[in-house]
Amino acid sequence: MNTAKLIDGKAAANRVLKQVKADVQRLKRKGIEPALAVILVGQDPASEVYVRNKILRAEESGIRSLEYRLVANSSQAELLALIATLNADASVNGILLQLPLPAHFEEARALQAIDPRKDVDGFHSENVGGLSQGRDVLTPCTPSGCMQLLEDACGDLSGKHAVVIGRSNIVGKPMAALLLQAHCSVTVVHSRSTDAKALCQLADIVVAAVGRPRMIDASWLKPGAVVIDVGINRIEENGRSRLVGDVDFDSALPQVSAITPVPGGVGPMTIAFLMKNTVTAAVQQAHAQRSQSEAVCLSTY
Ligand code: GUN
């Protein structure tokens, strides 16, 4: 395999986490202890793994982690009450509600209930709107991780044509916004696009986030394209269960200038950026608290 073309997400995530750890140590010396609350509703096996990894990574980074579990048949009201408690708890800096929720929950309403300042997923409309306006807000972890990988691989992204495959709120839409902010020309293709493949063939950068195993092969790609594969699909092959991306890696490799593997590409970056967002949220909350108490002091004169 031509390993020179491989984008090593694990190494990139370790670089981010090393910085996070150093930042946490520095904050602790100032009396600030970043804390992340993770809420898991039900027992979705993939979510169980993701949550375990998030808690583990938080602990390794020195971030205090709190895990809250609700049984699958909990009510929306119970979930909203938990979120309200965590919003009101000044010692909690970040709140992550693991998705998907069981079908009877109103996911959008639950996400909207999280204090936008603690919204380390960047899913609250205030943060979504802020991102689209180019304000400095908490941004979704997976697209933020993809941007870091792209900047490491390509340097300046300005003027490049990026095609995002998929239009989910978690990845596709925020990814397009971040690429636009980095001065790319951005095309988003999706299930209703009339010729997704032809549009993709024009791309300098392809970000695949559709959730369909190996959908994109070499015939979709311009020679020399940089490919970020967000897909994590479990398939059965030759009697074995394995993870594959949305990109047919073996087919794409000879065609591209750089590509993320699955696993070991985008996945580790998502968790690293969750930790980074938690630290950012803790710092912003400490600043806000300080200016509030200074304002109180001044108002007494
Ligand atoms: N489920 C899959 N990806 C994510 C994510 O980025 N955040 C949350 N909260 N849940 C997810």
Side-chain angles (χ1 to χ4, degrees), residues 47 50 54 96-100 111 121 123 141-142 170 270:
S47 293
Y50 291 139
K54 286 168 184 174
L96 180 128
L97 174 60
Q98 185 65 32
L99 304 177
L111 292 172
D121 255 327
F123 293 162
C141 305
T142 301
I170 294 183
T270 297

Side-chain angles (χ1 to χ4, degrees), residues 173-255:
K173 287 178 197 164
M175 189 73 228
L178 286 168
L179 287 162
L180 198 56
Q181 211 172 69
H183 312 292
C184 291
S185 303
V186 184
T187 305
V188 180
V189 302
H190 48 79
S191 53
R192 303 278 182 96
S193 297
T194 48
D195 199 348
K197 187 172 180 172
L199 291 166
C200 200
Q201 285 164 343
L202 303 172
D204 304 308
I205 293 167
V206 175
V207 180
V210 268
R212 289 183 53 185
R214 296 182 180 140
M215 186 182 99
I216 292 109
D217 65 13
S219 69
W220 286 63
L221 303 169
K222 180 164 96 173
V226 174
V227 177
I228 305 290
D229 189 353
V230 182
I232 302 177
N233 310 290
R234 187 161 288 285
I235 62 160
E236 298 296 322
E237 196 168 66
N238 306 323
R240 273 181 55 223
S241 167
R242 60 176 299 205
L243 293 177
V244 298
D246 293 344
V247 178
D248 182 339
F249 183 87
D250 294 337
S251 162
L253 190 63
Q255 185 84 338

Side-chain angles (χ1 to χ4, degrees), residues 19-64:
Q19 183 62 52
V20 165
K21 199 168 173 175
D23 289 344
V24 170
Q25 281 171 354
R26 192 172 41 79
L27 289 170
K28 281 184 174 170
R29 285 196 290 273
K30 294 184 176 184
I32 300 164
E33 186 186 18
L36 171 67
V38 180
I39 307 172
L40 176 60
V41 186
Q43 289 181 307
D44 176 69
S47 293
E48 294 260 4
V49 174
Y50 291 139
V51 165
R52 197 178 327 127
N53 286 335
K54 286 168 184 174
I55 300 277
L56 212 75
R57 215 52 83 226
E59 282 164 9
E60 283 169 7
S61 307
I63 293 172
R64 189 164 68 92

